């Protein structure tokens, strides 16, 4: 069976995955944290924790709250910073078979461009995923990904600063995700990942206050799956570049739904917290499904549910 997928077909070097199962940023650390639990080299790709120019301590506690079929988090991009990532993590990744994709976050367009420049030509880094769900401090804190213009501006700046393939990760917190997807594809994104978390909150009724230290957080997990799936379906139907589906994927059948909706690959996020082997279980479940259905090439399933 052939499960391989090319996520950057128009890119000079490309981004070839042995299979479509990736991990979602912020839910799988730097990969190393999971290496004693299963053979992480079997995954299609690992996306590491969101990385910023300077190390960040993140938001005040509490930063996690469970909701019905979901999780609210306001981690606030706690991370070691790009310099430590290059020095401490990349050399290890360089010896791995599984490609590692670095997820980046910034407060200005220049931050993103600088990050992309620093990560360029570092052994062990196969691609960049741009998190555009971050507040643009020069535009009053609106998310870069909320408007086509700012989403395209970040994409173009990152593309100009790196020779690596670039995935742009969309936020669902916008009125028209199709417009944003088209804008980032036109600006040069090699692939589009979606979705990031949906903004939400929870109130502690004993204290009569929001429970999270940051007041709001990002909703993830099975609760968001139908929203994510529909956005993937819509976006994959109109853009030429590969789409990576993410949002509530917990089982192989969830993953197959996203692939049939048009995703070339999928990311497993919150499911890692309840089942750290979830990505591998999902990969094996996809293989079993293909065997049962007599499908020898994964590409035959991609977009199968598109009209
Ligand atoms: C604890 C936590 C931390 C996250 N950190 C990041 C991050 O640093 N960068 C990013 O682009 N997405 C981040 N995400 C979003 C996930 O990568 C993913 O897009 C989202 O959770 C939806 O997928 P899921 O429902 O499978 O978790 C984070 C999610 C969680 C739950």
């Amino acid at each position: 069976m052939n499960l391989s997928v090319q996520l950057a077909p128009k890119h000079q070097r490309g981004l070839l995955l042995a299979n479509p199962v990736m991990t979602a940023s912020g839910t799988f650390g730097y990969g190393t944290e999971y290496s004693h639990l299963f053979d992480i080299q079997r995954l299609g790709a690992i996306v590491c924790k969101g990385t910023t120019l300077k190390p960040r301590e993140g938001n005040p506690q509490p930063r996690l709250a469970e909701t019905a079929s979901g999780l609210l988090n306001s981690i606030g991009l706690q991370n070691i910073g790009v310099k430590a990532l290059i020095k401490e993590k990349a050399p290890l990744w360089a010896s791995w078979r599984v490609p590692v994709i670095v997820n980046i976050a910034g407060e200005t367009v220049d931050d993103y461009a600088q990050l992309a420049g620093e990560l360029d030509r570092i052994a062990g880094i196969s691609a960049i995923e741009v998190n555009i769900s971050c507040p643009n401090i020069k535009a009053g804190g609106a998310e870069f990904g909320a408007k086509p213009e700012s989403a395209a501006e970040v994409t173009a700046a990152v593309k100009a600063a790196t020779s690596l393939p670039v995935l742009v990760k969309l936020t669902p917190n916008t009125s028209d995700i199709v417009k944003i997807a088209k804008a980032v594809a036109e600006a040069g994104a090699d692939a589009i990942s979606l979705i990031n978390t949906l903004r939400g909150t929870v109130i502690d009724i004993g204290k009569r206050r929001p429970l999270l230290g940051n007041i709001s957080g990002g909703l993830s997990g099975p609760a968001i799956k139908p929203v994510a799936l529909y956005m993937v379906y819509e976006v994959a139907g109109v853009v030429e570049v590969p789409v990576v589906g993410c949002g509530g994927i917990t089982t192989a059948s969830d993953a197959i739904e996203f692939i049939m909706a048009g995703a070339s690959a999928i990311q497993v996020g919150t499911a890692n917290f309840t089942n750290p082997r979830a990505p591998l279980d999902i990969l094996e479940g996809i293989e079993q499904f293909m065997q049962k259905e007599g499908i020898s090439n994964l590409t035959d399933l991609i977009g199968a549910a598109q009209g």
Side-chain angles (χ1 to χ4, degrees), residues 24-27 49-50 64 71 73 75 77 103 129 131 169 195-197 220-221 224 246-249 267-270 273:
S25 177
T27 66
K49 176 69 200 157
L64 288 175
L71 177 71
N73 92 82
I75 305 296
L77 293 173
N103 178 287
E129 182 180 70
N131 174 4
K169 181 170 178 184
I195 60 174
N196 212 312
T197 54
S220 63
I224 72 168
C246 176
I249 297 173
Q267 296 182 351
V268 183
T270 302
F273 300 142

Side-chain angles (χ1 to χ4, degrees), residues 23-27 47-48 50 103-104 112 128-134 143-145 151 155 166-172 177 180 184 189 191-197 244 246-247 267 269:
T23 58
S25 177
T27 66
V47 184
C48 80
N103 178 287
I104 61 170
Y112 284 100
I128 291 174
E129 182 180 70
V130 189
N131 174 4
I132 56 171
S133 306
C134 305
E143 289 182 21
F144 287 98
T155 306
V166 173
L167 292 78
V168 178
K169 181 170 178 184
L170 306 189
T171 171
I177 197 138
I180 312 278
V184 303
I192 295 175
S193 323
L194 70 160
I195 60 174
N196 212 312
T197 54
V244 178
C246 176
Q267 296 182 351

Side-chain angles (χ1 to χ4, degrees), residues 7 15-16 23 25 29 42 75 99 104 126 161-162 169 187 200 213 218 223 236 275 288 293 298 301:
L7 281 192
L15 178 61
L16 186 66
T23 58
S25 177
R42 285 180 61 193
I75 305 296
I104 61 170
S126 294
T162 182
K169 181 170 178 184
N275 172 17
Q288 279 160 18
E293 299 275 315
L298 181 89
L301 283 181

